[in-house]
Amino acid sequence: MAGIDEAGRGCLAGPVVACAAILPSRFDLPGLTDSKLLSARQREKLAPAIRACAVAWGLGVVWSRRIERVNILQATLEAMARAACTLRAAPGLLIIDGNRTIPEDLLLTMWRKARHGAPPRQRALVGGDRSEPAISAASILAKTFRDRLMAALGRRWPGYGLERHMGYGTREHLEALRRLGPCPLHRRTFRGVLPAAERPHAASSAWGALC
C-alpha cells in the first residue's frame, strides 16, 4: 500500500508537489504525523529517516504553466499520478489524502508508460495525513522537497521572499507582486497574482496533452 499526499496546492507561485510512499510493516519513526503539524526542523529531521526506512517513495511535480492550463485540482491529481508511477515497487493500493482519487483514465495512461500490468486500486481518505502513517510520510517528503526547491528558486528570482513564504499568499508576497509584478514561477490564474482584468482563465476540465 502506498500513501499519497501533496504540498503547494494553495500557493501563488511554484509547482504543486506530490509524494507516494510505501512503508514497511514494521518501522520506527517517532513523531510521524501530518507535515502541517510539524515545525520545519522536525520535518527536516524526519525526512531522511523516512527515506531510509521506506520500501519505496517517489515524487511528482507539476509546474505553474501546466497548473494554469488544467487548473490546480487537475494538476494536483496529475502530480499524484506521477508520484505513484515513479515508485520502484508497484503497490496494490493507493490511499490518497482527501476526498478524491486520481481519475482512472489518467492513472492508467501514466501507469502504462511507466510499467507493465494494471494500475493499483485507489481509496481516498479524509484526514489521512494524520491517521495513516504512509500518507503522513508522503506529506513530509512532499513538503520538505518543495520547501528546499522554493528556497533555491527564491535565489533565482529574488525580491519576492519565496524562500520564506514558499509561494503562499502572505502580505509580504502580495506586496512584492504589486511592486514587481509576477515572475515565471507565478500562477497567473490565481487571485492576487494579476489584477482581475488581466488574469487568464484556467481550463475547467480537459486533461489535454500530458507533459
Side-chain angles (χ1 to χ4, degrees):
M1 181 272 290
I4 298 183
D5 202 2
E6 55 76 26
R9 180 171 173 174
C11 293
L12 303 184
V16 60
V17 175
C19 180
I22 303 174
L23 295 180
S25 56
R26 294 185 180 182
F27 57 88
D28 183 21
L29 293 167
L32 186 63
T33 187
D34 175 14
S35 64
K36 295 186 290 296
L37 301 179
L38 300 171
S39 67
R41 179 174 293 184
Q42 289 172 318
R43 290 193 298 266
E44 288 293 342
K45 183 178 179 180
L46 273 167
I50 293 168
R51 291 193 291 266
C53 167
V55 173
W57 61 277
L59 295 166
V61 181
V62 175
W63 289 86
S64 302
R65 299 292 82 82
R66 179 69 176 165
I67 293 170
E68 291 173 358
R69 286 164 55 193
V70 300
N71 75 43
I72 186 58
L73 172 59
Q74 311 301 340
T76 299
L77 295 170
E78 186 174 312
M80 289 178 170
R82 293 184 183 193
C85 292
T86 64
L87 291 167
R88 67 170 181 260
L93 174 66
L94 304 177
I95 299 185
I96 300 171
D97 184 55
N99 61 0
R100 290 178 181 267
T101 57
I102 302 166
E104 294 293 342
D105 58 341
L106 173 67
L107 181 59
L108 178 61
T109 298
M110 299 189 79
W111 191 262
R112 284 177 172 172
K113 289 181 179 180
R115 61 179 78 234
H116 299 293
R121 296 174 291 109
Q122 300 184 69
R123 180 161 63 90
L125 181 61
V126 175
D129 47 6
R130 301 186 188 188
S131 62
E132 173 51 58
I135 298 178
S136 300
S139 172
I140 291 167
L141 293 184
K143 175 64 174 168
T144 52
F145 174 85
R146 190 180 185 282
D147 282 358
R148 289 186 177 189
L149 177 61
M150 293 304 293
L153 293 172
R155 294 189 291 272
R156 172 65 179 82
W157 281 282
Y160 297 95
L162 297 174
E163 66 280 5
R164 291 185 291 277
H165 51 65
M166 307 306 169
Y168 284 93
T170 63
R171 178 179 296 179
E172 175 191 12
H173 193 183
L174 294 172
E175 288 176 352
L177 277 166
R178 285 192 288 270
R179 185 175 70 253
L180 302 172
C183 76
L185 293 176
H186 283 97
R187 305 172 186 178
R188 295 169 297 179
T189 52
F190 278 44
R191 184 176 299 170
V193 174
L194 289 171
E198 299 178 25
R199 266 201 320 267
H201 295 290
S204 58
S205 57
W207 286 102
L210 296 180
C211 60

